[in-house]
Amino acid sequence: MFIDRGPEEPVKKKRRKNLDTDQENENEKPVAIEMLQKVRKKHIPNLRLKPAGDIASLITAEEERIPLMLTDIQHLLLHSLFGNINLSQPPRWYVLDKGNHISHTTCIILEGLSIHHWEKYQQQMINLNKIFKHKIEILTPSVYNASLVKELALVPLSENDKEAIIQKYGSMNLALEARKDLMVMMRAVFPIEDGNSENFDYSNEDAYPRTQLILSAWQLVEDNYPLPLKGKLQNAYADYVLTKEEYKPVTAKSPMFGLDCEMCLTNAGSELTRVTIVNEKHESIYETLVKPYNDITDYLTKYSGITASLLTNVDKRLEDVQKEIRDLLPPDAILVGHSLNTDLHALKMMHPYVIDTSVVFNITGERCRKPKLKVLAREFLNEIIQSGKEGHCSKEDAIATLKVVQLKLKKDLEFGDAVHTNRKQYKENMIKVKQKEEYALSIFNHIIEQKKTSIVVGCDNITGDYHTYLTQAKESLNSQLKKNKVKKVKLCTVDGIEEVISKLTESVSEYNLAMGHLKLETNVDNELHQMLDIDAWIQRVWDSLKLSGLFVIVFGGTADTNGIAMMRVKDLT
């Protein structure tokens, strides 16, 4: 008998176990994981060093090393949080590929530790060695008795005043340097007596203080000026002398002196043959020919104007010139010159206060292209210099550099600078309403404006230093008006170091910027134990980071020893 069962149901077949197929699937898993990792790796940021970073790296021998500034580390933190802050130029010491994919930024500050501690215990710091590829020597505020918190936290990056700052200084890097007391950085390098450099009672002829044109310590390093730093510079400049035993703080009333040198070629290289110094009245106050110790191979008469007959009866040597210049210059003298680093190298002398016309003037709109003095004199002074067949005249060149600087001081900071001028024109076209200018805003103001979040964790011996900057950010009127809601900018005070690390590990994935700041007191008896604890703490925080998170460790340095910065983006390895 036939029974209609309706539509036939599919027969559920039992899967036959196939060892070969299962084995194939198992083999496919690693392949799939590898493909997934390749896709993810495409978006993982990569931090690599430029030559300025390589030469500061601990991999470089101490005698060859030139340390970075804390400002350089500040740039990296800001870059990771807000994108490319430099705008007019790329970062000077690193490249951050795919920086817009940074997931979050974590920074641990360890005050009381220096490069000395690392060199002594690096073999025992297993986790730090495993985690960090890049370890950089840095000149920290501890060396010049300044506040590490202030240097790290204060940055003029309000969205409202960003264009005004860039217009004024040319780039964020220059703004970060210009906002700081010039003496703070210079005292780290040169012997400068205590005192205040701020002096607003400047000459009626100057539209702004001449100190604003002085190159910062960072710029001196960048432009190859001789500096009394340790390491490579100490060895390279072992036979150089300071222009004074001790300097006074530079002010808006400090005198300017135009300086120019002429050189010739000897069998030992380029050597000094003539020096001229002029005062602000364009009067020559020092001029002399100099006899090189080594045999002259080329007088370079076409450029120097020096001939064999000129030097026939000259018996003055380099050390005589150095002594006379040291006696002549006041302790707050500002030297003015064109590519003055070359002249100071010829003199084998080091000086803290320099205005370089090849830096403060720019007629191409490109920072990397420096103008010739002859062009500056023609364009801004309507004068023709360096036209004679007998070679350059050091007095003529010294006066020309002083004249163009005096002219710029009568105008404004933007005068003679195409980078500034272009930005000024752009701003005039695009911005119709002038907004309030605030130049001393903190990193936390900008975090709020960019709708990001941050937390600073520390004990009560450090969090008070941050309180001013966070309060300022929270009370910012512009921040309050944004959706009538203040974003998360937190200061967390805990009882001990262990609690700092625990809170930090809980917070790193919740905030765009998480900072842990510890003040450590070390002594010989407990140093090793403390360093091992630190090594374990850093591993804990590293394990809590998400993929593509930037991790930065800063050893704050001591009064007589530099610090270290270590950094890495967390990847798949």
Side-chain angles (χ1 to χ4, degrees):
M1 180 176 171
F2 177 78
I3 300 174
D4 187 2
R5 300 181 182 273
E8 187 174 356
E9 293 181 4
V11 178
K12 292 183 179 179
K13 294 184 178 180
K14 194 171 184 178
R15 183 175 178 267
R16 185 169 59 88
K17 193 170 183 179
N18 188 319
L19 294 177
D20 292 337
T21 304
D22 286 347
Q23 187 63 47
E24 288 177 9
N25 291 337
E26 288 298 320
N27 291 336
E28 287 174 3
K29 286 182 181 180
V31 175
I33 292 173
E34 185 178 341
M35 291 179 64
L36 178 61
Q37 288 180 337
K38 284 183 178 180
V39 171
R40 296 175 74 184
K41 192 172 182 179
K42 286 182 180 180
H43 301 290
I44 294 176
N46 179 45
L47 178 68
R48 49 195 173 92
L49 301 183
K50 289 184 175 181
D54 284 328
I55 205 167
S57 172
L58 299 194
I59 296 175
T60 302
E62 182 180 359
E63 62 273 12
E64 296 284 326
R65 204 182 302 148
I66 301 176
L68 297 180
M69 307 292 182
L70 183 62
T71 305
D72 292 311
I73 308 306
Q74 185 188 60
H75 289 166
L76 174 62
L77 295 177
L78 292 166
H79 191 166
S80 70
L81 288 167
F82 310 127
N84 186 8
I85 64 165
N86 299 285
L87 299 180
S88 67
Q89 57 186 5
R92 80 181 188 99
W93 65 276
Y94 70 89
V95 174
L96 186 58
D97 295 317
K98 305 182 185 71
N100 59 323
H101 289 289
I102 292 285
S103 57
H104 56 104
T105 300
T106 302
C107 180
I108 298 179
I109 310 295
L110 300 168
E111 283 200 63
L113 296 187
S114 70
I115 193 171
H116 163 75
H117 295 90
W118 173 255
E119 291 171 343
K120 188 175 180 180
Y121 298 109
Q122 60 178 309
Q123 297 300 325
Q124 287 84 8
M125 307 290 277
I126 298 172
N127 294 323
L128 264 73
N129 279 306
K130 180 178 64 176
I131 294 170
F132 296 105
K133 175 184 176 182
H134 302 307
K135 304 176 185 74
I136 308 292
E137 182 175 353
I138 56 172
L139 189 68
T140 60
S142 301
V143 175
Y144 42 95
N145 197 29
S147 167
L148 193 150
V149 173
K150 181 178 179 181
E151 294 242 353
L152 199 61
L154 266 185
V155 274
L157 278 175
S158 167
E159 193 67 24
N160 293 330
D161 66 18
K162 185 184 291 185
E163 279 301 322
I165 291 172
I166 297 169
Q167 175 195 332
K168 182 172 182 179
Y169 295 107
S171 77
M172 284 300 172
N173 279 351
L174 297 181
L176 286 165
E177 289 299 328
R179 68 168 173 79
K180 295 175 182 173
D181 181 355
L182 185 68
M183 291 304 95
V184 170
M185 297 299 291
M186 286 302 183
R187 282 196 180 100
V189 182
F190 289 92
I192 300 172
E193 66 182 42
D194 292 337
N196 194 353
S197 65
E198 294 298 330
N199 187 336
F200 297 101
D201 183 23
Y202 43 89
S203 168
N204 291 331
E205 295 183 359
D206 292 350
Y208 54 93
R210 56 188 56 182
T211 52
Q212 292 192 33
L213 295 181
I214 292 176
L215 299 192
S216 68
W218 171 74
Q219 288 174 304
L220 292 176
V221 172
E222 281 291 281
D223 283 283
N224 192 33
Y225 274 82
L227 294 173
L229 290 175
K230 68 174 187 176
K232 178 182 179 181
L233 297 180
Q234 187 176 31
N235 293 332
Y237 307 145
D239 57 345
Y240 283 49
V241 299
L242 294 169
T243 51
K244 303 296 287 186
E245 285 297 324
E246 186 176 47
Y247 300 90
K248 289 184 176 179
V250 69
T251 72
K253 285 189 172 181
S254 294
M256 297 188 302
F257 299 90
L259 170 67
D260 190 71
C261 299
E262 301 297 343
M263 282 74 78
C264 67
L265 289 179
T266 71
N267 53 18
S270 178
E271 291 195 56
L272 184 71
T273 52
R274 178 160 54 193
V275 188
T276 302
I277 300 176
V278 299
N279 61 19
E280 293 188 51
K281 295 180 180 179
H282 310 151
E283 300 166 339
S284 177
I285 61 170
Y286 184 79
E287 187 157 11
T288 185
L289 292 167
V290 189
K291 185 85 168 183
Y293 278 109
N294 298 288
D295 294 335
I296 296 175
T297 58
D298 190 342
Y299 286 91
L300 300 176
T301 304
K302 179 181 177 182
Y303 305 102
S304 68
I306 302 298
T307 61
S309 59
L310 276 176
L311 297 180
T312 300
N313 298 317
V314 174
D315 57 5
K316 186 167 290 189
R317 299 292 191 174
L318 177 62
E319 61 268 25
D320 301 319
V321 174
Q322 290 173 336
K323 183 181 184 305
E324 290 167 355
I325 290 178
R326 283 165 62 90
D327 293 339
L328 175 70
L329 292 177
D332 63 338
I334 301 172
L335 294 182
V336 179
H338 193 80
S339 295
L340 194 56
N341 57 317
T342 304
D343 301 289
L344 290 174
H345 279 296
L347 286 165
K348 293 192 174 182
M349 301 189 81
M350 297 178 280
H351 190 78
Y353 312 133
V354 168
I355 298 177
D356 191 330
T357 50
S358 74
V359 175
V360 300
F361 282 87
N362 185 294
I363 57 178
T364 65
E366 299 178 32
R367 287 283 178 213
C368 58
R369 294 181 61 187
K370 293 186 176 182
K372 293 182 178 180
L373 179 59
K374 183 176 183 178
V375 175
L376 295 182
R378 184 186 69 224
E379 293 294 321
F380 300 111
L381 304 176
N382 197 27
E383 294 181 5
I384 304 299
I385 64 170
Q386 303 175 354
S387 59
K389 294 182 180 180
E390 295 79 18
H392 296 184
C393 171
S394 56
K395 181 178 179 180
E396 180 183 57
D397 288 356
I399 291 174
T401 59
L402 205 52
K403 280 184 176 180
V404 292
V405 167
Q406 289 171 324
L407 179 61
K408 187 177 178 76
L409 286 170
K410 289 179 182 178
K411 302 292 185 178
D412 52 47
L413 275 171
E414 290 78 20
F415 179 78
D417 195 325
V419 174
H420 289 307
T421 303
N422 292 343
R423 291 191 176 278
K424 185 176 181 180
Q425 291 173 347
Y426 172 79
K427 186 180 179 184
E428 288 173 350
N429 292 334
M430 299 300 292
I431 302 176
K432 304 299 181 184
V433 180
K434 181 176 174 61
Q435 297 174 328
K436 181 182 178 182
E437 296 176 348
E438 298 177 86
Y439 290 96
L441 296 177
S442 76
I443 187 174
F444 306 109
N445 287 76
H446 201 59
I447 284 172
I448 290 174
E449 288 187 356
Q450 295 295 319
K451 300 180 181 179
K452 294 182 181 292
T453 58
S454 70
I455 186 170
V456 176
V457 186
C459 300
D460 56 8
N461 64 348
I462 190 64
T463 52
D465 296 345
Y466 284 94
H467 183 265
T468 301
Y469 307 119
L470 273 84
T471 301
Q472 176 202 50
K474 289 184 177 181
E475 292 178 352
S476 168
L477 178 61
N478 291 331
S479 300
Q480 298 278 4
L481 291 177
K482 289 193 173 182
K483 297 184 180 180
N484 297 317
K485 183 180 179 181
V486 176
K487 299 297 177 181
K488 287 196 292 183
V489 177
K490 290 188 175 182
L491 184 62
C492 182
T493 303
V494 295
D495 293 331
I497 294 176
E498 181 62 35
E499 288 85 350
V500 171
I501 301 303
S502 296
K503 183 62 179 177
L504 196 61
T505 55
E506 296 170 9
S507 305
V508 292
S509 61
E510 299 178 16
Y511 294 85
N512 298 113
L513 170 64
M515 292 182 64
H517 197 134
L518 299 173
K519 278 189 175 179
L520 304 171
E521 295 183 6
T522 60
N523 58 62
V524 177
D525 295 333
N526 73 347
E527 265 187 359
L528 176 58
H529 179 71
Q530 188 173 56
M531 295 300 285
L532 293 175
D533 284 344
I534 290 169
D535 194 51
W537 297 337
I538 289 173
Q539 181 66 55
R540 284 173 56 192
V541 177
W542 172 255
D543 291 340
S544 69
L545 261 65
K546 294 190 295 187
L547 194 67
S548 298
L550 174 66
F551 195 23
V552 177
I553 305 295
V554 176
F555 284 21
T558 60
D560 53 7
T561 313
N562 284 343
I564 301 178
M566 308 179 192
M567 62 287 301
R568 181 180 170 186
V569 176
K570 191 164 187 177
D571 52 25
L572 294 167
T573 58

